[in-house]
Amino acid sequence: MDRNSTIGLVLIGLIITVFSVMNQPSEAELKAAQQKEATVAQKKAVKKKNAVAPIPANQATATTKIAAKGSISKIENDKLLIELNSKGGIVSAVYLKNYKSYKDFDAKKDAALCLFKEGDAYNQLILSSTRGKLFTKNYLFELVSKTANSAVFEAKFAQGTIRQSYKLNEGHDLDYTVEILDNKGFILDNTLLNWKADLRKTERLFSEQRRVSTICYEQTENGLDYLSETASEAKKAEEDIKWVAFKQSYFSSILKPEQAFQANGTKFYIQNFKEGHPQAWTHLKGYSANLALNFQDNKAKFNWFFGPNDFEVLKSYDSGYDDILNFGWGLFRWINLYAVQPIFNLLVDNGMAVGWAILVLTLIIKTILMPVQWKMFVSSVKMRILKPEVDALTAKYPKQEDAMKKQMEMMALYRESGASPLAGCLPMLLQMPILLAVFRFFPAAFELRQKGFLWAEDLSSFDSILDFSFHIPFYGDHISLFTLLMAGTTLAYTYMNSGNMQTPQQPGMPDMRVIMYIFPFMMIFFFNNYSAGLSYYYFISTLLSILMMVAIKRFFVDEEKLKVKMAERKANSAANPKAKKKSRFQEKLEEMQRQQQEMLKNRKK
């Protein structure tokens, strides 16, 4: 492996390292988040002090009272079980029947997955009138109609009657309608829907689930935006909002209005639960949104989605819900959406087990990249053949002022021999987008969740073969076998190419061989807590690269014949010097050398 190829591999390693730690908050970010939370709390206190007082119960209604506790009603379909509380007429709990939390999955319990339960969430209306503001979550609503999949709540106030209707459709959809009947004093233009939920832990690795959890929202003009995934943050809407999603790693709650939420008054807030918080080890984060409603004929309609972050499911809504999936940005996202995801879904949808689907996907990708692998290997062989002559040129021009001459002679050597130092580097750079795309794809792929393969019980989490009773800094409290296999194959691949690596010819230059041997050991620490499916893919991919290299070397590329061919080309070039065609790069080098020689002559004068 020539120097440029080695540098390319190091760059890949550095980029993967950055990707693995880029979302981890620094001390400065944590302090900034704490300061921001303190500022937000202070502003809220001032706003509360200056706000219009809420309507007292005796002035608000003749029949509706502030309730200490309400009654629970349940509605359900084949996928959802939803609990509604008459106190506020709210959605108080949501259960997904076809899924389990990791805790229940590990214990082999048949229990529905809980997104949030009683006390974790509410959806209250904040209505304005000449008598003040009314917050509905504390008032008792009457259940006036109930079926297996629908419920209607009403509360009568002096300003009018508030009706909240819920109806479960097929799948993961809940229709929600707010009506104001006999409006005698409510100012509907200022009405807010205050939706708050503290989503619960559902996955094995809490830190990873929390790291990718946030609020996402679709703007009418500028598309998707989201709050910080690593720090507490508050944002005001800058334009009308099509929908808002309370997102975690594998499940989301998405609220879409029939008429877009108005920008004026719409705000979002995400809260991190720090150590010492009563919900620090049971809940992911605190989600909150104040949504400015757009009433039509005293009515506002919404659709709630409570379900999995499954690409096919989200895509079926044709509303851009699939944008919340963290498949990377730019080119990496396109590769995942239009190449990796379709192939993987095709394999899984045809009944193939997820573990085998990853293997077949890897085979397909490596087959497509076979010409690139071939080009890299041939270039590597050519550079190895030329290595003695390159070393001789380095010894011939040891001084720094002769660097230009050495570079020119090397370029001439490469051209005459039909070799190129970039021929090994560029193919590697072509593979890098795919390498980084799958780094985002597998941790976000819902298909891996709670799917076992070999010793891994859940490919979406780490595959522990040994758990410790203590935590090792930067490593964890367990050993992941797929991570060890991935690091082992990477080390073997490095060893196979170590003969092509150039030793540093000048003092102070780093030895690339040492760096390349350190990289596999670094991977053990970086990937120990990542998705087993990701480590498995990299392990298979590197193993196939080794097998392809061995096959190409043994059956397709004869190094001795290539050496003779290069020597003949070099001899023909020397015999016909007029036939030599200089590249633009060489012409520029010669011009730079000429200018350098003139400068040296002028200095001597």
Side-chain angles (χ1 to χ4, degrees):
M1 183 182 295
D2 59 280
R3 183 175 177 183
N4 286 295
S5 299
T6 305
I7 292 173
L9 278 175
V10 173
L11 286 174
I12 292 174
L14 291 175
I15 292 174
I16 291 178
T17 301
V18 171
F19 264 58
S20 64
V21 301
M22 65 185 298
N23 290 321
Q24 300 298 324
S26 64
E27 286 294 325
E29 288 175 328
L30 290 173
K31 290 181 180 178
Q34 292 173 357
Q35 186 176 359
K36 183 182 287 186
E37 285 185 15
T39 303
V40 170
Q42 186 177 3
K43 287 182 178 179
K44 284 184 178 179
V46 173
K47 185 175 181 181
K48 185 176 180 181
K49 183 178 179 181
N50 298 328
V52 178
I55 302 172
N58 60 352
Q59 295 181 23
T61 177
T63 58
T64 301
K65 299 179 181 179
I66 292 180
K69 188 178 181 182
S71 59
I72 301 298
S73 301
K74 296 181 180 180
I75 58 176
E76 59 183 306
N77 62 11
D78 60 331
K79 295 185 183 298
L80 294 175
L81 170 63
I82 293 180
E83 294 182 358
L84 306 170
N85 194 329
S86 62
K87 181 183 176 181
I90 63 171
V91 176
S92 60
V94 173
Y95 296 87
L96 276 64
K97 293 183 176 181
N98 297 335
Y99 303 101
K100 301 178 182 179
S101 68
Y102 177 79
K103 183 178 180 181
D104 291 331
F105 168 75
D106 187 50
K108 295 180 173 56
K109 290 184 179 179
D110 189 16
L113 182 142
C114 176
L115 289 182
F116 54 84
K117 62 175 59 175
E118 180 68 29
D120 293 336
Y122 59 77
N123 51 289
Q124 71 163 333
L125 298 168
I126 304 176
L127 295 110
S128 299
S129 75
T130 56
R131 307 173 72 176
K133 287 185 181 291
L134 187 144
F135 300 81
T136 61
K137 74 181 179 73
N138 294 320
Y139 288 93
L140 188 64
F141 281 66
E142 180 185 359
L143 180 63
V144 297
S145 175
K146 172 73 170 65
T147 66
N149 64 348
S150 66
V152 179
F153 295 90
E154 287 186 1
K156 295 181 179 180
F157 298 87
Q159 297 87 347
T161 299
I162 300 175
R163 175 183 291 170
Q164 299 186 82
S165 304
Y166 299 94
K167 183 181 179 182
L168 274 172
N169 298 315
E170 293 183 359
H172 299 92
D173 293 330
L174 173 67
D175 285 341
Y176 173 44
T177 304
V178 175
E179 297 179 77
I180 307 300
L181 307 177
D182 302 322
N183 188 9
K184 300 174 182 177
F186 288 125
I187 304 172
L188 298 186
D189 289 343
N190 296 329
T191 302
L192 296 176
L193 174 61
N194 176 212
W195 178 28
K196 186 180 184 302
D198 299 338
L199 298 185
R200 289 184 168 259
K201 172 186 177 182
T202 61
E203 307 306 315
R204 183 181 194 179
L205 189 59
F206 200 9
S207 59
E208 179 65 15
Q209 186 183 11
R210 179 173 280 171
R211 186 181 66 83
V212 297
S213 299
T214 189
I215 295 177
C216 303
Y217 52 93
E218 182 78 5
Q219 303 169 109
T220 53
E221 297 294 334
N222 293 316
L224 187 75
D225 199 0
Y226 55 92
L227 273 62
S228 172
E229 293 180 329
T230 57
S232 299
E233 186 180 12
K235 272 188 180 181
K236 292 182 179 180
E238 297 180 354
E239 55 186 272
D240 291 354
I241 303 300
K242 291 183 178 180
W243 50 260
V244 57
F246 289 180
K247 171 187 173 289
Q248 50 152 296
S249 53
Y250 290 112
F251 299 94
S252 289
S253 305
I254 306 176
L255 181 62
K256 180 184 178 183
E258 189 174 80
Q259 302 293 328
F261 296 121
Q262 300 176 40
N264 186 23
T266 296
K267 302 175 183 178
F268 309 99
Y269 179 62
I270 189 79
Q271 178 191 6
N272 279 352
F273 296 137
K274 296 180 174 59
E275 189 174 350
H277 192 283
Q279 295 175 307
W281 298 105
T282 57
H283 294 70
L284 294 172
K285 294 180 180 180
Y287 301 73
S288 181
N290 277 354
L291 307 166
L293 303 188
N294 191 346
F295 277 89
Q296 301 290 321
D297 298 325
N298 292 342
K299 185 182 294 186
K301 295 183 177 181
F302 316 87
N303 177 264
W304 242 315
F305 168 85
F306 299 108
N309 292 339
D310 184 299
F311 176 79
E312 295 297 333
V313 172
L314 297 177
K315 186 72 174 177
S316 67
Y317 284 81
D318 196 26
S319 296
Y321 289 176
D322 53 296
D323 289 341
I324 69 175
L325 298 178
N326 194 4
F327 281 166
W329 51 269
L331 177 62
F332 308 124
R333 184 174 184 85
W334 297 340
I335 291 173
N336 283 327
L337 288 180
Y338 302 114
V340 179
Q341 177 76 31
I343 295 173
F344 187 68
N345 277 358
L346 179 65
L347 297 173
V348 174
D349 292 345
N350 281 282
M352 186 176 292
V354 172
W356 293 110
I358 294 175
L359 174 61
V360 175
L361 173 68
T362 312
L363 285 169
I364 292 172
I365 292 175
K366 297 303 289 186
T367 301
I368 294 173
L369 294 175
M370 180 68 175
V372 175
Q373 189 83 15
W374 180 288
K375 188 75 174 177
M376 286 176 59
F377 181 78
V378 172
S379 175
S380 174
V381 172
K382 287 182 177 181
M383 295 305 295
R384 183 166 63 247
I385 292 171
L386 293 178
K387 190 174 183 299
E389 295 181 64
V390 171
D391 292 342
L393 286 175
T394 302
K396 181 180 178 181
Y397 298 106
K399 297 180 180 180
Q400 186 64 33
E401 55 266 28
D402 294 329
M404 196 70 69
K405 291 182 180 179
K406 180 179 71 174
Q407 188 66 33
M408 287 183 61
E409 290 198 26
M410 281 188 178
M411 292 299 295
L413 175 64
Y414 294 146
R415 188 182 70 255
E416 293 170 358
S417 304
S420 172
L422 296 179
C425 186
L426 290 178
M428 189 172 296
L429 292 177
L430 291 175
Q431 295 184 81
M432 191 182 298
I434 297 177
L435 186 71
L436 297 179
V438 296
F439 181 80
R440 284 296 192 187
F441 174 77
F442 285 112
F446 187 82
E447 293 82 358
L448 270 64
R449 186 178 186 271
Q450 295 180 1
K451 295 297 190 297
F453 183 67
L454 300 178
W455 58 85
E457 62 177 356
D458 183 357
L459 286 170
S460 70
S461 182
F462 55 83
D463 57 311
S464 176
I465 58 168
L466 178 64
D467 294 324
F468 307 139
S469 58
F470 53 89
H471 182 85
I472 300 176
F474 305 108
Y475 184 68
D477 57 1
H478 62 274
I479 296 176
S480 297
L481 182 53
F482 274 131
T483 301
L484 292 180
L485 292 173
M486 174 185 64
T489 52
T490 304
L491 185 64
Y493 185 77
T494 302
Y495 175 77
M496 291 177 64
N497 289 283
S498 61
N500 303 331
M501 299 181 190
Q502 299 178 13
T503 57
Q505 301 294 331
Q506 298 180 4
M509 291 290 290
D511 192 337
M512 300 304 295
R513 292 174 300 179
V514 175
I515 294 176
M516 292 304 298
Y517 277 117
I518 291 175
F519 178 59
F521 293 101
M522 293 170 61
M523 295 172 71
I524 296 175
F525 291 88
F526 294 146
F527 286 87
N528 194 56
N529 288 323
Y530 270 80
S531 159
L534 178 65
S535 299
Y536 169 54
Y537 170 83
Y538 282 146
F539 159 59
I540 294 297
S541 180
T542 309
L543 182 61
L544 289 175
S545 294
I546 293 173
L547 295 176
M548 288 169 64
M549 183 180 294
V550 171
I552 292 171
K553 183 177 181 179
R554 185 167 183 178
F555 300 108
F556 300 102
V557 177
D558 190 324
E559 188 169 331
E560 292 301 321
K561 289 183 179 180
L562 184 60
K563 189 173 184 180
V564 171
K565 187 176 179 180
M566 290 174 65
E568 289 176 353
R569 176 168 177 163
K570 186 177 178 182
N572 292 334
S573 180
N576 301 285
K578 294 183 179 180
K580 295 180 184 179
K581 186 178 179 181
K582 297 180 181 179
S583 65
R584 291 184 179 180
F585 182 63
Q586 187 177 17
E587 290 175 353
K588 288 182 179 180
L589 280 177
E590 290 179 351
E591 178 62 23
M592 290 172 65
Q593 184 189 26
R594 185 186 63 77
Q595 292 177 1
Q596 186 181 40
Q597 290 174 347
E598 289 182 358
M599 289 174 61
L600 290 174
K601 290 179 180 179
N602 292 333
R603 286 179 185 176
K604 292 179 180 180
K605 290 179 180 179

